[in-house]
């Protein structure tokens, strides 16, 4: 039955669509990653968010190595079908740097500023330095 | 001085980067569009959000025809520099369909459902049927 839903998504030439993850209750935008049709199908069927890692060219089950999984709360598609918004319940932190979300650099008055602290060290999450996917 | 900031952004092969617009006070994710370096520069300098329209291959000053502008509140870049999060103050509605945000289609139990009403008719916004950019 997900085939009908997949037809409503406009994947790009590489077969991918950007997916924004937002914490369902706080509204915090956690991260943006990419999905292919298999990642969409797995996410809808399992209720746990699965992306497509462009660097590894493989399905990326968020939290598989770190335990910091994203439980799917709602799956939304935008008006022209080319962007997905995932409302999720994030366990732990979303960012591979150990921050709660990935958008911790702010540009203002010609300068950039880091506006969030590391909550978990990447070594504690992965047993090694950070790898974005 | 924005040249230093531009170097922190990883534009793709087409010279573009995805930009998520979020209402700064409510946390509502409004839309996702694309920016090139000129759109980033103009947005930072003017304080009004300007995207790059891929369909028109031109700068897209959001709200130029509809009046539904986005005032920039904060400009954030993610951990690997390849996605932008714009905290904005949206005048009127963000979506070309006349809905407040673009993510009004929810996928659940194998079906899609429209979960938001049209607030302003596209004809009232543009004087003609909806054009996404």
């Amino acid at each position: 039955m997900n085939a009908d839903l997949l037809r409503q998504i406009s994947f790009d030439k590489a077969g991918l669509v950007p997916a924004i993850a937002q914490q369902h209750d706080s509204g915090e935008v956690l991260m943006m990653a990419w999905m292919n049709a298999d990642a969409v199908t797995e996410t809808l069927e399992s209720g746990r968010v699965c992306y497509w890692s462009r660097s590894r060219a493989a399905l990326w089950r968020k939290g598989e190595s770190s335990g910091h999984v994203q439980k799917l709360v709602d799956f939304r598609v935008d008006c022209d079908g080319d962007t997905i918004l995932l409302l999720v319940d994030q366990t732990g932190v979303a960012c591979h740097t150990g921050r709660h979300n990935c958008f911790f650099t702010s540009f203002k008055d010609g300068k950039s500023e880091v506006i969030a602290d590391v909550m978990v060290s990447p070594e504690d999450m992965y047993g090694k330095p950070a790898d974005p996917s």
Side-chain angles (χ1 to χ4, degrees), chain A residues 54-133:
Chain A
R54 295 179 301 171
S55 58
R56 291 190 288 112
L59 288 173
W60 167 23
R61 295 175 180 91
K62 177 72 179 165
E64 196 169 39
S65 54
S66 65
H68 294 199
V69 299
Q70 293 177 339
K71 182 182 170 192
L72 183 68
V73 175
D74 201 5
F75 187 109
R76 296 185 188 163
V77 179
D78 79 344
C79 51
D80 48 6
D82 65 1
T83 306
I84 289 167
L85 177 64
L86 304 164
L87 298 186
V88 305
D89 193 11
Q90 173 75 54
T91 297
V93 299
C95 185
H96 75 288
T97 65
R99 293 176 177 87
H100 200 257
N101 74 68
C102 296
F103 298 96
F104 54 82
T105 303
S106 171
F107 284 8
K108 198 163 277 183
D109 301 327
K111 295 178 183 168
S112 64
E113 182 187 2
V114 172
I115 58 169
D117 295 327
V118 171
M119 298 174 68
V120 186
S121 80
E123 287 79 1
D124 284 346
M125 275 201 291
Y126 303 109
K128 59 181 182 180
D131 173 356
S133 56

Side-chain angles (χ1 to χ4, degrees), chain A residues 10 16 20 24-25 40 46 54 82 115 133:
Chain A
S10 295
L16 302 177
I20 303 158
H24 73 103
D25 45 7
V40 169
S46 72
R54 295 179 301 171
D82 65 1
I115 58 169
S133 56

Side-chain angles (χ1 to χ4, degrees), chain A residues 27-42:
Chain A
E28 179 184 3
V29 175
L30 299 168
M31 57 182 285
M32 202 282 277
W34 296 79
M35 291 180 144
N36 63 2
D38 287 346
V40 169
T41 300
E42 176 166 326

